[in-house]
Amino acid sequence: MRVLQIASEAVPFAKTGGLADVAGALPAALQQLGCQTTLVLPAYRSVFGKGLPIEQTDLRFPVAVGTRSLEAAVFTCRLPDDGGQIFLIGNDHCFDRDSLYGTPEDYADNAERFIFFSRAALELAARQPEPFDIIHCHDWQTGLVPAYQKLLYNSWPTLGQARTVLTIHNMAYQGQFWHWDMLLTGFHWKYFNWQQMEFYGQLNMLKAGIVFADKLTTVSPTYAREIQAAPGGNGLEGVLAGRAADLVGIVNGIDTAAWNPRTDAHIPRHYGEDDVDDGKYTARVALAARLGHAAPDTRPLVAFVGRLAEQKGVGLILDLINRMAGSGLAHFMILGTGDPAVEQALRTVAASYPGTVDVVIGFDETLAHLIQAAADILLMPSQYEPCGLAQLYAFRYGTIPVVRATGGLVDTVIDTNDQTLADGTASGFVFEAFESAALEEAVRRAVAARGDHDRWRELVRRVMGQDWSWQASARRYREVYEQTLAAPPVAVADVE
Ligand code: ADP
Ligand code: GLC
């Protein structure tokens, strides 16, 4: 089976969040299962500064974006482990910029940039010697790919027979644009209707993907259910419920080579289940040094690593610190970047509790690993969470997550209580209500549990031994591909 993956970010090339981790690791896992995988990414400016063996190919071709023609320059990269073939689509006008999508404001021409990328990826695929069986795209940035495959490229011999799969990593980002951007897509205006590409007067790229893809997946079974109703569907719940038969939830795997305390190059001392205390202590010393503290704090370290977005419950975290920092029960460490108002509020709270609250604003891969190794408790009080990867990384590093019961967090974290301790399933602390008091109660439970050394040790050993590698998830994707290939393609409705 030949699989084309199209994504707007992937590790190690470009990353703003978990999508990059998934798109970076899934191809290699599929290769191991015998699927020949090709990954196509944008050649952002930043991909060239990382020392990766990226080479320019001779391949260049024009791509129509509205009335303009933009040239796609194709790069390739061979990585040491066999993750299949990788292509990067270059175009200076679209991708030679400071950030991936624009920050804090999105770039005004993101519609044009990702229309270009989606079409270029398909036209690149069409120029390959053999046709692809599956075209698998991710999130709104590539949401138009299924529509292109069905409406504009279906007579191309190398693309026409393919089936399309769209994975939804987050319903809150839909790629909604001014209706005139329809002109940039090259699609007939007749598709701009409420059953296909239009949503409240705007062009909605994720909706187009949901309507035109042959199969839909999202990143956990619970999130697959949540998005078929309000508020999880973010307005598209009806469209998703209409496709319930074609929608599956598959929990993400993690890259167990990149996130492994036994081999991690980002941490000062490697460790496993047997020497986790020493490993964590050494990480704490390194973290303290990095933050400019003379010595590490001996109190439980409660950490957060993630995007500073409403989704992540950053408001609850601020409340939590204000409620608990004065108690002296724990040390708090936050690493994140995002909403400028939240960044400022975090800086202020750190200044109010020196020695108890550390805040680092920025995107820092090494620090993310170091914090996972150093921390005792990881906070994920998400308002919603399609899958969440940070809690799975936490498990590997013997860090116990405190999570809200939503989306993939429900499917991956089991609350610690007498029952789950007895049956050996406990793996974290779970709370229900999206309220500061509920988070505080869960954190206090976790901190208290941390005080019982033997029990905590037992919990840590157990979570470290769990298997969240890609193997099982990649197998599920392959099954989905096989089912999709066995079924006829989804018909394009003629909407009056
Ligand atoms: P999401 O995709 O919603 O951001 P996930 O938990 O799936 O959430 O994945 C987040 C990924 O991004 C993790 O690999 C996490 O370590 C990383 N990450 C988020 N913020 C930062 C940051 N400021 N610095 C380093 N890594 C970060
Ligand atoms: C999204 C979600 C996150 C998920 C990630 C990878 O960014 O917010 O929950 O883990 O995608 O699928």
Side-chain angles (χ1 to χ4, degrees):
M1 187 189 311
R2 282 175 46 84
V3 181
L4 177 72
Q5 299 274 343
I6 310 178
S8 61
E9 50 183 273
V11 165
F13 300 93
K15 168 166 168 176
T16 67
L19 165 62
D21 293 0
V22 173
L26 178 58
L30 288 169
Q31 286 279 118
Q32 283 191 357
L33 296 178
C35 301
Q36 279 183 56
T37 312
T38 298
L39 172 65
V40 187
L41 300 166
Y44 301 109
R45 181 195 292 166
S46 56
V47 306
F48 296 103
K50 299 186 156 77
L52 295 162
I54 298 174
E55 287 166 24
Q56 182 146 22
T57 70
D58 297 334
L59 191 55
R60 290 174 171 268
F61 51 85
V63 177
V65 180
T67 55
R68 295 170 68 190
S69 167
L70 297 179
E71 190 181 60
V74 179
F75 296 80
T76 184
C77 181
R78 275 248 156 251
L79 293 178
D81 41 329
D82 183 22
Q85 197 161 26
I86 296 167
F87 289 118
L88 301 110
I89 306 277
N91 175 279
D92 288 351
H93 163 70
C94 291
F95 301 130
D96 187 19
R97 302 189 186 189
D98 287 340
S99 74
L100 273 55
Y101 314 123
T103 174
E105 297 287 309
D106 287 352
Y107 292 128
D109 58 351
N110 273 349
E112 180 182 26
R113 297 172 74 225
F114 289 101
I115 286 168
F116 165 74
F117 173 63
S118 298
R119 291 194 74 160
L122 286 175
E123 299 212 7
L124 168 64
R127 286 170 168 79
Q128 297 308 299
E130 282 179 76
F132 288 94
D133 302 302
I134 291 289
I135 299 171
H136 184 171
C137 55
H138 300 262
D139 277 355
W140 73 263
Q141 292 89 340
T142 55
L144 293 181
V145 163
Y148 279 122
Q149 189 266 340
K150 282 207 167 61
L151 303 178
L152 295 189
Y153 296 101
N154 64 334
S155 59
W156 290 38
T158 45
L159 295 177
Q161 296 307 309
R163 296 285 189 279
T164 52
V165 177
L166 167 71
T167 294
I168 300 165
H169 296 262
N170 197 327
M171 282 304 301
Y173 303 91
Q174 299 184 0
Q176 299 197 59
F177 300 98
W178 197 31
H179 62 282
W180 290 114
D181 283 340
M182 255 318 262
L183 293 173
L184 299 178
T185 64
F187 294 128
H188 195 285
W189 272 109
K190 71 177 180 183
Y191 298 109
F192 192 74
N193 66 71
W194 70 277
Q195 291 180 57
Q196 288 169 317
M197 299 185 182
E198 185 261 2
F199 185 67
Y200 292 100
Q202 293 194 297
L203 166 64
N204 185 316
M205 294 193 186
L206 187 64
K207 176 172 177 175
I210 293 170
V211 172
F212 286 90
D214 294 311
K215 196 85 176 179
L216 304 172
T217 78
T218 186
V219 290
S220 68
T222 297
Y223 194 61
R225 279 193 300 279
E226 288 171 350
I227 61 179
Q228 294 179 51
N234 286 71
L236 295 181
E237 51 274 4
V239 189
L240 285 158
R243 296 224 50 196
D246 296 316
L247 170 63
V248 262
I250 302 175
V251 171
N252 291 325
I254 59 170
D255 183 335
T256 49
W259 295 90
N260 183 356
R262 291 163 194 83
T263 54
D264 192 334
H266 297 293
I267 65 175
R269 178 192 193 284
H270 295 150
Y271 65 90
E273 277 103 328
D274 296 332
D275 51 357
V276 48
D277 290 344
D278 294 340
K280 281 195 168 289
Y281 180 76
T282 313
R284 289 283 284 269
V285 173
L287 182 61
R290 169 84 208 254
L291 297 168
H293 301 313
D297 192 334
T298 53
R299 292 174 290 176
L301 179 59
V302 180
F304 171 84
V305 177
R307 291 182 292 115
L308 301 179
E310 215 185 326
Q311 169 193 351
K312 300 293 174 183
V314 284
L316 297 196
I317 293 175
L318 278 164
D319 284 351
L320 175 80
I321 295 175
N322 281 318
R323 281 162 170 264
M324 273 189 78
S327 74
L329 283 174
H331 190 110
F332 295 89
M333 164 85 234
I334 313 289
L335 168 64
T337 174
D339 183 342
V342 176
E343 291 181 351
Q344 193 43 49
L346 283 168
R347 284 196 188 97
T348 306
V349 86
S352 317
Y353 300 102
T356 293
V357 180
D358 286 300
V359 169
V360 175
I361 301 297
F363 195 95
D364 188 329
E365 193 73 36
T366 297
L367 198 51
H369 286 243
L370 186 58
I371 292 171
Q372 286 281 12
D376 299 297
I377 294 163
L378 183 84
L379 299 174
M380 287 187 83
S382 306
Q383 191 168 27
Y384 68 92
E385 195 62 73
C387 177
L389 294 168
Q391 80 280 16
L392 304 180
Y393 300 146
F395 289 153
R396 288 281 277 171
Y397 288 76
T399 303
I400 303 300
V402 171
V403 307
R404 193 170 93 78
T406 182
L409 299 174
V410 173
D411 299 324
T412 55
V413 183
I414 304 214
D415 189 46
T416 299
N417 53 45
D418 291 342
Q419 164 92 45
T420 57
L421 277 172
D423 65 22
T425 54
S427 62
F429 294 83
V430 183
F431 66 99
E432 298 278 339
F434 187 67
E435 287 165 9
S436 324
L439 169 61
E440 182 184 353
E441 193 265 341
V443 172
R444 283 184 184 271
R445 276 201 295 138
V447 169
R450 172 79 181 79
D452 180 344
H453 190 260
D454 291 344
R455 260 186 154 188
W456 188 261
R457 205 56 214 284
E458 176 63 30
L459 189 59
V460 165
R461 286 178 71 98
R462 186 162 338 110
V463 298
M464 287 183 82
Q466 290 187 356
D467 179 7
W468 292 101
S469 64
W470 265 104
Q471 237 169 19
S473 307
R475 221 172 261 128
R476 291 282 290 124
Y477 277 105
R478 191 180 58 180
E479 276 166 29
V480 166
Y481 298 158
E482 281 162 357
Q483 288 162 7
T484 312
L485 285 171
V490 162
V492 175
D494 214 353
V495 180
E496 283 303 311

